[in-house]
Each structure stands twice: as C-alpha cells, then as structure tokens.
C-alpha cells in the first residue's frame, strides 16, 4: 500500500468520490485540493482518504460547512482530520492515514492532530482512542442532526 500526499492527479477523482460518498452524499462532487488530502492506494486503487483542514481550508476546494445551521467547533492550531474513510476496515489503512497526517502536522508546524467525531459513532471513537487521541471537549458542533461531537487531540512530535 502507498500513502500519497499531495494526492496525485491520477488518483484525485477517485479520492474525491470516496470522500464525498462518505461525507457529502447528497451534494454534487466538489473539486478537491490535492495538498489537503492523503490517499491510501493499493494495486492502483484508492482504498482510503483522509482530508486535512487548517486555517487555509480543507480538502474540498470550497467550504461544504456553510449555512445558517452549521456550528463550527472551537478554533485550533492543530491540523484537523477533515474526514477519514476507508474502503475496507481493520486492514491498517486508517491507522496508516492518521500516522501520515501526524507527520504532515509536524512538518507544517502544528502542535497536534484534531478529530471531530460524533459521540454516537462508537467504532470511530474507539479507533481514535486506540491511536492515542484524548477528548478535550464535546458539544453540538457541525450540523444539528449530527448530535454530540467529541473534539479529540493527538500531540505530534516535531
């Protein structure tokens, strides 16, 4: 498996499709920023994608978080995981993507990684905790229908 960032042009459409199917299924596929994503590629196929968000924006080239109902989580100097999705679970793909994101955070001068996870998403909460993320706060962030969201933090090494 290869972990690629920025995402090469040849893999960007498939990475965008995988991300959009998981996080924006009702919207038309948005243009994505290759430098704000990490792709896991196996045998020429995108098998995982991790979006990254910082003060300059996220993986989608235009914000998909606008609107009167969306509530942003508190600001951070961390590099934010802007959606993580894998084609097959329990294969080490998610872990590899998060470790690559941690390297990117350190390289870009961020003190850590941040994940914003719905409390009801127990598999995701367990995944991030197993990687060493700790909860720093929780609230009703994101869309109203998302429910309670935990803000998780993982410090990175310089």
């Amino acid at each position: 498996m290869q972990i690629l960032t920025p995402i090469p042009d040849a893999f960007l459409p498939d990475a965008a499709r995988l991300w959009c199917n998981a996080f924006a299924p009702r919207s038309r596929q948005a243009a994505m920023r290759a430098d704000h994503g990490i792709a896991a590629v196996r045998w020429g196929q995108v098998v995982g994608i991790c979006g990254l968000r910082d003060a300059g924006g996220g993986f989608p080239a235009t914000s998909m978080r606008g609107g009167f109902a969306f509530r942003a989580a508190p600001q951070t100097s961390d590099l934010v995981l802007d959606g993580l999705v894998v084609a097959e679970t329990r294969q080490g793909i998610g872990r590899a993507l998060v470790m690559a994101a941690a390297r990117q955070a350190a390289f870009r001068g961020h003190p850590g990684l941040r994940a914003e996870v719905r409390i009801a998403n127990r598999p995701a909460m367990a995944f991030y905790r197993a990687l060493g993320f700790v909860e720093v706060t929780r609230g009703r962030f994101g869309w109203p229908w998302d429910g309670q969201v935990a803000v998780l933090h993982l410090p990175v090494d310089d």
Side-chain angles (χ1 to χ4, degrees):
M1 179 171 63
Q2 295 176 289
I3 302 297
L4 306 171
T5 188
I7 300 171
D9 290 343
F11 295 113
L12 194 55
D14 289 340
R17 192 171 12 268
L18 184 60
W19 191 94
C20 286
N21 284 344
F23 300 106
R26 291 183 194 94
S27 66
R28 66 177 184 76
Q29 187 170 320
M32 299 297 187
R33 298 169 56 192
D35 63 331
H36 276 65
I38 303 171
V41 176
R42 186 183 323 149
W43 300 304
Q45 300 293 315
V46 175
V47 294
I49 178 69
C50 179
L52 304 173
R53 187 173 77 241
D54 58 18
F59 185 48
T62 57
S63 176
M64 301 180 90
R65 303 183 190 289
F68 68 92
F70 186 83
R71 291 190 53 204
Q75 290 188 355
T76 183
S77 57
D78 289 340
L79 184 60
V80 179
L81 299 177
D82 195 19
L84 173 71
V85 61
V86 297
E88 302 171 24
T89 60
R90 307 198 68 77
Q91 301 295 311
I93 300 166
R95 177 180 292 275
L97 289 167
V98 171
M99 294 302 103
R103 288 189 296 277
Q104 280 295 306
F107 177 75
R108 296 178 186 191
H110 296 279
L113 282 179
R114 175 168 160 172
E116 299 164 1
V117 182
R118 288 182 301 119
I119 302 276
N121 188 343
R122 290 184 179 163
M125 291 292 292
F127 169 77
Y128 286 111
R129 285 190 175 124
L131 292 177
F133 282 78
V134 296
E135 185 175 329
V136 293
T137 192
R138 63 174 57 187
R140 293 187 87 47
F141 309 121
W143 299 107
W145 50 86
D146 286 342
Q148 283 281 328
V149 172
V151 176
L152 309 172
H153 170 80
L154 178 72
V156 298
D157 297 326
D158 292 348

